[in-house]
Structure formats: structure tokens, C-alpha cells
């Protein structure tokens, strides 16, 4: 007999519940594991400047990242700073290859700035 | 000795199957943990003003994600991952989401009008970005 481990939400019968959204944990479905996480920063002095982080996975992994701009707000990839310092200024994106996570920044007409990137590397591969 | 909890996939020896993709769960690896989820309706604007705010009460910047329904009318559900840019006959807009230690913010900038309401679906996790 296959052994399973399930933890249901409060008020749900773990033996009879069938809706997976009502389980805190269910060993019959994979978990979305975070293999690595970290931060990176640099002073951006030109358009297209990159911050590169080796992910050390040997394959191209799923990942996600956030960026804290000098205005104090945290933005998703493909966004500018919330303050809209200038059109196309202080805008960033995130990409990857088999070796690195690559974070690319625009500076535009704004002053030099130092964004802080938080990245997560996940278990699934692309 | 460090104690760990692992559950392997069917057919994999949990003692020797160390690759993360052989495991259903491993306490060696963190996971995303839910905090809040919900929807918020945001009227579009023509400048950079934020006009949708959700308080998360965590005291740190959390991992968050958001989707936006680009159709304002019910029944036209088509959720796009934020940030999202879309263009239609009378709409040219960008939907964005940001966070700080108190709130998650939403705005939809429509350069043509500023008269439509969009629905954001958001997920906020307990994971601390630490930035």
C-alpha cells in the first residue's frame, strides 16, 4: 500500500477531504522548492548595465526576482521604479542562461543608483 | 546531527535519492508560504499615482505576485501576470504592482483615458525578501 502524509487545514477532515486547496501539505503532489536565494547589488552608471549571479544548477532553472529601487519600493521584473524617475530610466529586467541569472538595468537621464536585487532559484527547470 | 525530513517520489529511495527533483518534500529546501490572497479593483489613471493598496501587516517586504484582468467588463476574464502591458481600440495601459514593508501597491496607467476599472488578483507570501 502506498503511504501518504497529508495535513489538512483547520476544520477539514484529512481522511475524507479531496480538494487539494484544503491541505497544508500533501505528499502526493510535489512542492515548489526554493533551491537557492540571495541578494546582489551594484552601482548603475549606464544603460544596459548588468548584475550577474551564477546559479550553479547545471541546467536552466525556474527563477524569480525582485528589485528595491532608491525610492524605497520593491518592483517586479520589467518595471520601473514606482516614482517614475523618468521615462525609461531606472527600469530593469531579469533573464537567465545555463550559467547565470542576469539582471539588466537602465539609467537614462537619472543619477547613478544602487538597486538591490533579491532572487530565488526554484526546482523546476525550463 | 541535523535532523531532516524528506519524502521521495514513488520508486525513489529517500535515503539515496538526493536530487531535489526526486523528492516531494525536503526540509533542506524552503518553500513559499501563503499569507494573504485576494482581489482589488483599481481605477486606471493617466499618471504615476498609486490608487490601489493592500496592507500586509508583516513589517518586512514579502514575496508577492499579482495578475490583472485586462478586460473591465465581467465575463471577459483574461488574467495577465504583472507587470502587464496591453493595447486595445481605446486602451493602452500598463498594470503594475510594488511592495514595501507595509503594503502592496497596484496601479494601472492608461494613457488614453483613465476611466476604467481593472481587477488585480494578488498573492502575498510570508517569505521575507530581506531588502
Amino acid at each position: 500500500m502506498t503511504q501518504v502524509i497529508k495535513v489538512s487545514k483547520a476544520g477539514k477532515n484529512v481522511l475524507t477531504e479531496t480538494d487539494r486547496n484544503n491541505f497544508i501539505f500533501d505528499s502526493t503532489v510535489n512542492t515548489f522548492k526554493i533551491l537557492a536565494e540571495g541578494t546582489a547589488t551594484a552601482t548603475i552608471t549606464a544603460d544596459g548595465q548588468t548584475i550577474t549571479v551564477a546559479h550553479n544548477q547545471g541546467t536552466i532553472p525556474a527563477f524569480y526576482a525582485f528589485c528595491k529601487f532608491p525610492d524605497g519600493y520593491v518592483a517586479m521584473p520589467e518595471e520601473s521604479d514606482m516614482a517614475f524617475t523618468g521615462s525609461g530610466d531606472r527600469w530593469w529586467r531579469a533573464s537567465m542562461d545555463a550559467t547565470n541569472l542576469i539582471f539588466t538595468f537602465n539609467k537614462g537621464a537619472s543619477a547613478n543608483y544602487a538597486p538591490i536585487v533579491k532572487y530565488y532559484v526554484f526546482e523546476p527547470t525550463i | 546531527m541535523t535532523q531532516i525530513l524528506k519524502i521521495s517520489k514513488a520508486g525513489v529511495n529517500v535515503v539515496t535519492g538526493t536530487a531535489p527533483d526526486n523528492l516531494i518534500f525536503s526540509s533542506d529546501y524552503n518553500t513559499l508560504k501563503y499569507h494573504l490572497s485576494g482581489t482589488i479593483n483599481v481605477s486606471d489613471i493617466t499618471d504615476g499615482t498609486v490608487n490601489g493598496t493592500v496592507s500586509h501587516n508583516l513589517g518586512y517586504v514579502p514575496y508577492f505576485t499579482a495578475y490583472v484582468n485586462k478586460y473591465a467588463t465581467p465575463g471577459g476574464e483574461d488574467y495577465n501576470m504583472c507587470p502587464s502591458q496591453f493595447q486595445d481600440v481605446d486602451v493602452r495601459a500598463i498594470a503594475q504592482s510594488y511592495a514595501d514593508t507595509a503594503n502592496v501597491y497596484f496601479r494601472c496607467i492608461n494613457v488614453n483615458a483613465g476611466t476604467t476599472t481593472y481587477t488585480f488578483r494578488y498573492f502575498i507570501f510570508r517569505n521575507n525578501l530581506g531588502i
Side-chain angles (χ1 to χ4, degrees):
Chain A
M1 185 179 75
T2 302
Q3 306 294 314
V4 299
I5 298 174
K6 295 185 179 184
V7 180
S8 64
K9 290 181 178 177
K12 301 296 181 182
N13 185 328
V14 74
L15 298 177
T16 58
E17 183 59 49
T18 57
D19 183 347
R20 282 180 165 155
N21 289 304
N22 287 329
F23 290 105
I24 299 294
F25 178 77
D26 178 353
S27 67
T28 67
V29 290
N30 200 1
T31 50
F32 199 65
K33 302 176 197 73
I34 299 169
L35 301 189
E37 58 185 278
T39 59
T41 189
T43 299
I44 305 303
T45 60
D47 283 339
Q49 187 174 330
T50 59
I51 299 173
T52 300
V53 177
H55 55 63
N56 300 313
Q57 298 303 312
T59 58
I60 301 177
F63 80 107
Y64 202 71
F66 299 87
C67 173
K68 186 174 185 179
F69 283 100
D71 66 3
Y73 295 99
V74 173
M76 297 169 166
E78 306 284 344
E79 284 189 339
S80 64
D81 61 346
M82 195 164 89
F84 267 145
T85 298
S87 180
D89 300 353
R90 299 194 176 182
W91 176 92
W92 80 302
R93 63 187 169 88
S95 58
M96 63 188 162
D97 59 23
T99 306
N100 296 312
L101 308 178
I102 304 158
F103 309 111
T104 305
F105 291 84
N106 271 9
K107 172 181 170 293
S110 76
N112 295 347
Y113 66 102
I116 305 171
V117 173
K118 175 65 184 268
Y119 60 86
Y120 293 87
V121 177
F122 299 109
E123 173 200 348
T125 56
I126 300 297
Chain B
M1 185 179 75
T2 302
Q3 306 294 314
I4 59 173
L5 175 63
K6 293 184 180 182
I7 300 170
S8 63
K9 292 182 178 176
V12 175
N13 184 325
V14 75
V15 176
T16 58
T18 55
D21 60 355
N22 283 330
L23 302 172
I24 295 292
F25 176 82
S26 170
S27 59
D28 281 339
Y29 303 110
N30 198 2
T31 59
L32 296 178
K33 302 169 188 72
Y34 280 109
H35 175 55
L36 281 176
S37 63
T39 60
I40 182 170
N41 293 324
V42 173
S43 298
D44 63 359
I45 50 179
T46 55
D47 58 20
T49 306
V50 168
N51 55 354
T53 300
V54 171
S55 175
H56 55 66
N57 296 312
L58 288 170
Y60 55 79
V61 183
Y63 192 115
F64 67 105
T65 187
Y67 303 83
V68 62
N69 185 350
K70 74 176 185 179
Y71 293 106
T73 54
E77 291 189 353
D78 181 4
Y79 279 89
N80 294 254
M81 192 170 188
C82 288
S84 180
Q85 297 183 63
F86 38 94
Q87 186 158 4
D88 227 325
V89 175
D90 58 354
V91 173
R92 186 156 63 91
I94 180 169
Q96 299 175 307
S97 180
Y98 297 85
D100 63 13
T101 57
N103 301 308
V104 174
Y105 305 91
F106 306 90
R107 70 180 171 197
C108 192
I109 304 168
N110 181 354
V111 299
N112 287 350
T115 57
T116 308
T117 299
Y118 296 86
T119 300
F120 286 81
R121 180 86 166 97
Y122 60 85
F123 298 88
I124 302 171
F125 298 90
R126 296 264 177 153
N127 303 62
N128 182 357
L129 294 186
I131 58 176

